[in-house]
Amino acid sequence: MKIRAQKLIIAAATLAAFSTAVVNSSAQETPPQRDARLAWWRAARFGMFIHWGPVSLKGTEIGWSRGAQVPAEEYDQLYQQFNPTKFNADEWVKVAKDAGMKYLVITSKHHDGFCIWDTKLTDYNIMRTPFGRDVVKELAAACKQQGIAFCTYHSICDWYHPDYPLGSPGGKTSKPNPNMDRYNAYLKNQLAELIQNYGPLGILWFDGEWEKPWTHERGVDLYKHVRALQPSIIINNRVGVGRAGMDGGTADGAFGGDYDTPEQRIGKFQNDRPWESCITICHQWAWKPNDTMKSLKECLQTLIYCAGGDGNLLFNVGPMPTGEIEPRQVQRLNEMGAWLKNYGESIYATRGGPFKPGKWGVSTHQGNTIYLHVFNWPAEGVALPVINKRITSSKALTGGTVEIKQTGEGISLLIPPADRQEIDTLIELKLDGPASEIPPVAVGGSSLAEGKKATASNVFQRQSGYAPGKAFDGDSQTRWATDSGTKQAWLEVDLGKPETFSRVVIDEWEGGGKRVQSFELQYQSGEEWKTLFKGTTLGPNWQNKFDPVTARQVRLNILEATEGPTLNEFELYRK
Ligand code: H79
């Protein structure tokens, strides 16, 4: 991947840029013009996602619970009781601002079809509730006043609207008299209302594009429609049908709007196409009473991992039916904001890399500066690979002294244990030239097995999302899994050619506990499988060193498990 040359712009000065950007229709836009259009948003790095509507009265998931946990007839009447009298747009925007977020995306319409603005195109909207106030209007005004980019999420699928062919639950039923062309006109007119009455918008965040009625042609047409209404707007990839599942990338050659959208996972390092992970602060998108909330460490490291991978984080809250955001969530967001106040220079307007994200941490850069965010310290310190720039000075921004040695072998980094931070030890390196000229490089070398051909005795429900390759993709957020009840299984990798290795790392999925009770690591020698060693339990990032072995086929043979074995990663290293 090559690093796209991009002038770094101070986030604050560019927040208003989308309203004044040069007018270009999508067809005429050159890559530099496109970069300029997206620049404010890439520099912003951190936004607030809000999922809200009458469903908050039930505490179930927005859209998906219609016709499932909540009968459709009941769901569709909830708006008659929706009266969030404590809603205060200024307060919500202040929460986002204090958290260090630079933009806000609210569900103007989710899959359930309910509209939270004063639309003239359907009666199923906020003005018909006892509340009777235009939430989109108030939020847009508050965002404008406080200098936050206002954006909307808009579902393409609409399981409520009679013209849209599919219905609840989850698009699994059909409507009696659908008319997709008429629905499409409705959708386009709604977007015109939103942009013309509440714009300019920062982003139009589409979703619900995966159902059959949506096509490539409709996606391209919708993108052009929205850009024509507001040339400066940014549109996510879910406008088209090219999204590759929940990983959120856009399939090669497919149409995918302006950026990729990994959902509920941190995107992989990708600096040649913009991306934004959308992740919830608790588990549900819409408000759920007593939902488990993520720790400050998880919240902050999620943001920092995104920045280090060269992406954004759109962090979701689901406000309560009272109109308030839960106080504990406000507090958590505030804590994130406090960290960003101190260390925001290492996040905003930076680019990810050059050292690729790993268990060790991540790096970001701007100008001649690299920011190292170290999350985990090996006893011997962090060893970074060779770079084509000289380090002229270094500083531990989170306190203490850092010892740096740059040699022809690489860079070694040590901080006394007392100065290592629980969440992020932040070290600034000044270079004798631009960090963007350093090609992105993995830390600690990649596993010899990464991306290699994998097979297994069993795959959970034969789903590709749990394929053997998930244990060799260098992404600890994905995993190989086996059917529930599986007590024995094997996982094999073909390295392509004989390789010499002396260390294995097996990252068993933490969510399942220690399932493996007995295993052996084997390699093929001639026709025969030889056992390298035997073990009992594994766990997260379990590792073992042994005398160097040369082999092409390596196999983990699980002899006994309490439940279906599942591994995030299986890695082999020379040393
Ligand atoms: O609004 C939130 C969720 O309600 C919504 N997106 C976030 C931002 C959401 N939509 N779908 N899902 C959550 C889960 C749906 C997954 C699937 Fe598919 C839809 C599985 C199969 C069809 C899309 C296409 C994902 C994988 C393939």
Side-chain angles (χ1 to χ4, degrees), residues 49 51 62 64 110-111 153 205 207 210 238 243 245-246 263 278 285:
F49 213 175
H51 278 67
I62 191 166
W64 294 91
H110 205 268
H111 314 332
Y153 164 110
W205 212 105
D207 199 6
W210 62 84
R238 302 189 188 186
R243 173 166 61 123
M246 303 296 271
E263 176 164 334
C278 53
W285 292 96

Side-chain angles (χ1 to χ4, degrees), residues 95-372:
V95 170
K97 215 178 156 153
D98 289 349
M101 294 158 158
K102 307 290 187 190
Y103 58 107
L104 182 154
V105 185
I106 183 143
T107 47
S108 45
K109 186 190 81 167
H110 205 268
H111 314 332
D112 63 14
F114 187 76
C115 302
I116 63 163
W117 80 99
D118 183 7
T119 174
K120 304 301 174 211
L121 300 163
T122 174
D123 283 345
Y124 195 46
N125 77 62
I126 192 80
M127 305 314 283
R128 306 285 163 145
T129 64
F131 188 54
R133 275 161 53 190
D134 186 337
V135 168
V136 170
K137 183 177 172 187
E138 293 183 24
L139 268 176
C143 282
K144 195 167 189 185
Q145 211 216 337
Q146 296 189 49
I148 291 239
F150 180 69
C151 318
T152 63
Y153 164 110
H154 209 79
S155 176
I156 287 172
C157 72
D158 188 328
W159 299 327
Y160 173 89
H161 199 286
D163 284 338
Y164 183 78
L166 304 177
S168 296
K172 287 196 216 112
T173 58
S174 301
K175 307 261 178 60
N177 287 308
N179 185 330
M180 190 59 191
D181 286 338
R182 204 162 59 196
Y183 175 74
N184 199 42
Y186 167 77
L187 181 64
K188 285 166 85 169
N189 289 334
Q190 283 197 321
L191 296 164
E193 269 190 354
L194 285 167
I195 291 168
Q196 286 164 353
N197 301 343
Y198 309 96
L201 305 182
I203 302 166
L204 245 170
W205 212 105
F206 287 110
D207 199 6
E209 85 293 3
W210 62 84
E211 293 184 338
K212 261 250 168 64
W214 201 243
T215 60
H216 168 77
E217 290 71 27
R218 289 196 195 275
V220 172
D221 175 63
L222 187 62
Y223 181 90
K224 285 188 183 151
H225 170 70
V226 170
R227 289 286 311 282
L229 287 162
Q230 187 196 315
S232 62
I233 207 164
I234 298 172
I235 302 170
N236 71 341
N237 63 340
R238 302 189 188 186
V239 68
V241 292
R243 173 166 61 123
M246 303 296 271
D247 285 341
T250 300
D252 274 350
F255 172 66
D258 295 323
Y259 71 88
D260 292 345
T261 52
E263 176 164 334
Q264 292 292 37
R265 60 193 77 188
I266 296 160
K268 284 186 203 169
F269 184 89
Q270 174 178 294
N271 69 358
D272 57 355
R273 179 171 156 87
W275 59 271
E276 173 198 66
S277 282
C278 53
I279 294 177
T280 50
I281 191 168
C282 293
H283 286 271
Q284 198 165 274
W285 292 96
W287 181 67
K288 177 181 172 185
N290 305 312
D291 202 355
T292 314
M293 189 171 70
K294 291 168 186 165
S295 66
L296 177 61
K297 179 175 176 172
E298 187 171 357
C299 292
L300 270 178
Q301 289 191 346
T302 297
L303 171 64
I304 300 164
Y305 265 123
C306 286
D310 206 31
N312 284 23
L313 173 65
L314 185 59
F315 205 41
N316 181 78
V317 297
M320 298 187 284
T322 57
E324 300 156 296
I325 302 172
E326 276 190 15
R328 62 176 181 148
Q329 295 180 14
V330 171
Q331 192 193 329
R332 179 66 82 244
L333 293 172
N334 240 292
E335 292 163 355
M336 294 180 82
W339 186 89
L340 280 162
K341 262 210 177 86
N342 286 329
Y343 307 115
E345 65 171 293
S346 69
I347 303 291
Y348 302 122
T350 64
R351 297 295 302 266
F355 305 109
K356 290 189 186 176
K359 275 154 205 142
W360 68 280
V362 311
S363 66
T364 53
H365 68 267
Q366 186 189 55
N368 290 5
T369 305
I370 294 177
Y371 299 98
L372 298 172

